[in-house]
Amino acid sequence: MSHGSEDPGHGNSVAAWTSVTIILVAFSIGTLFFFLENVAMVWASVVLLGLGAVSGLVLKKMGYGVGGKHSKSH
């Protein structure tokens, strides 16, 4: 059985944590307002969810992703 010593650190970065946090907040808000039947806020949470995904990509491009110039693993 092989045990790899190289851990790629998937998702352990500022970009990943920021993106996941924004997406979780958007999902939680969307669920709450879906329950409260507030359609406008549900769609606003969908927009926030998209912004969370985009923020992760932007931060990765800025060097805050795994192996980036601003990450600890660099």
Side-chain angles (χ1 to χ4, degrees):
M1 185 171 207
S2 174
H3 295 296
S5 62
E6 292 292 322
D7 181 21
H10 289 116
N12 193 10
S13 68
V14 173
W17 280 103
T18 302
S19 181
V20 168
T21 301
I22 293 171
I23 290 170
L24 282 172
V25 168
F27 185 79
S28 299
I29 291 170
T31 302
L32 172 67
F33 285 111
F34 182 81
F35 178 73
L36 296 175
E37 299 178 4
N38 188 335
V39 178
M41 290 303 293
V42 170
W43 283 108
S45 70
V46 171
V47 171
L48 182 61
L49 191 139
L51 291 174
V54 170
S55 71
L57 294 173
V58 169
L59 285 169
K60 181 180 177 184
K61 294 280 185 186
M62 292 174 58
Y64 289 98
V66 174
K69 64 181 177 181
H70 296 293
S71 68
K72 291 181 180 179
S73 63
H74 177 74

